[in-house]
Amino acid sequence: MSNQEVAILNVGGSTFTTWASTLRRFPESRLARMLNGNDHEFRLVNGQFFVDRDGTLFNYILDFLRTLQLSLPTDFSDYQRLQREADFYELHSLADLLSQENLLKPRPEILEVRFLLQETQAFFRVFGSCSNTIEALAGWVTMFTEQSLRQNWNNNPFPSQKLLTPLPLERPSHHDLVFQCGTDYSAGDQLVARYSPCVVFLS
């Protein structure tokens, strides 16, 4: 296959299209040998080179071949898996870059909690710079409102009881958790704000 031809790869079910010259960026790599038919790990199926590897991580590998730069999302954490894929394709420069200690260190995360008023409703919003952290919090955090139960007898010696009602959880994005904790309602000619005390449980 000449460098001017288009190559189609099927990596674990994900299809990628690129110039053959891009895959030959590093002549010693397995991708370059694949085009020459010298690597039996890659099978030519219906005009596509198939290899049973991680297609999601191959996005970053192909981007590196195109730009010679490593560009990863801010919340990316699969450095070791990506390095393993780079080793598989024998892209030694990429593997060496991923093995650098400063890349493997966890990046500082931003976690922000805010109380918001939006039109006629009140919310608690939790924002996180790392979507994995927010995903974990969604499974750990349950927020309830406290509502007093009305007592129907006089001179009740017991303190008023509290009813805990779970608040619905909303996920407007991968980086947000939102709990509704209050509403505004009309009372005659006045607009009355009503906010519920909240209790948070961590499981």
Side-chain angles (χ1 to χ4, degrees), residues 110-127:
I110 299 174
L111 193 64
E112 181 180 270
V113 180
R114 286 190 175 184
F115 176 74
L116 301 175
L117 288 175
Q118 182 178 351
E119 296 180 351
T120 61
Q121 296 180 325
F123 302 90
F124 274 112
R125 174 179 177 266
V126 181
F127 169 82

Side-chain angles (χ1 to χ4, degrees), residues 52 100 175 200:
D52 192 17
Q100 293 179 13
H175 294 271
V200 177

Side-chain angles (χ1 to χ4, degrees), residues 60-92:
Y60 306 118
I61 289 174
L62 185 56
D63 183 68
F64 175 78
L65 293 175
R66 288 168 172 162
T67 65
L68 295 180
Q69 296 180 352
L70 181 60
S71 301
L72 300 172
T74 56
D75 60 349
F76 185 82
S77 59
D78 288 335
Y79 291 99
Q80 293 181 346
R81 291 181 58 212
L82 183 56
Q83 183 180 355
R84 186 173 63 217
E85 294 300 297
D87 287 332
F88 170 81
Y89 294 108
E90 296 182 11
L91 294 167
H92 304 301

Side-chain angles (χ1 to χ4, degrees), residues 144-160:
F144 297 84
T145 60
E146 287 187 352
Q147 297 179 349
S148 297
L149 293 176
R150 292 184 177 181
Q151 306 293 346
N152 295 325
W153 56 88
N154 296 325
N155 301 322
N156 178 29
F158 301 101
S160 60

Side-chain angles (χ1 to χ4, degrees), residues 6 34 46 49 68 79 84 90 98-99 104 117 130 152 168 193:
V6 172
M34 171 195 73
N46 297 326
F49 293 98
L68 295 180
Y79 291 99
R84 186 173 63 217
E90 296 182 11
L98 288 165
S99 67
L104 295 176
L117 288 175
C130 179
N152 295 325

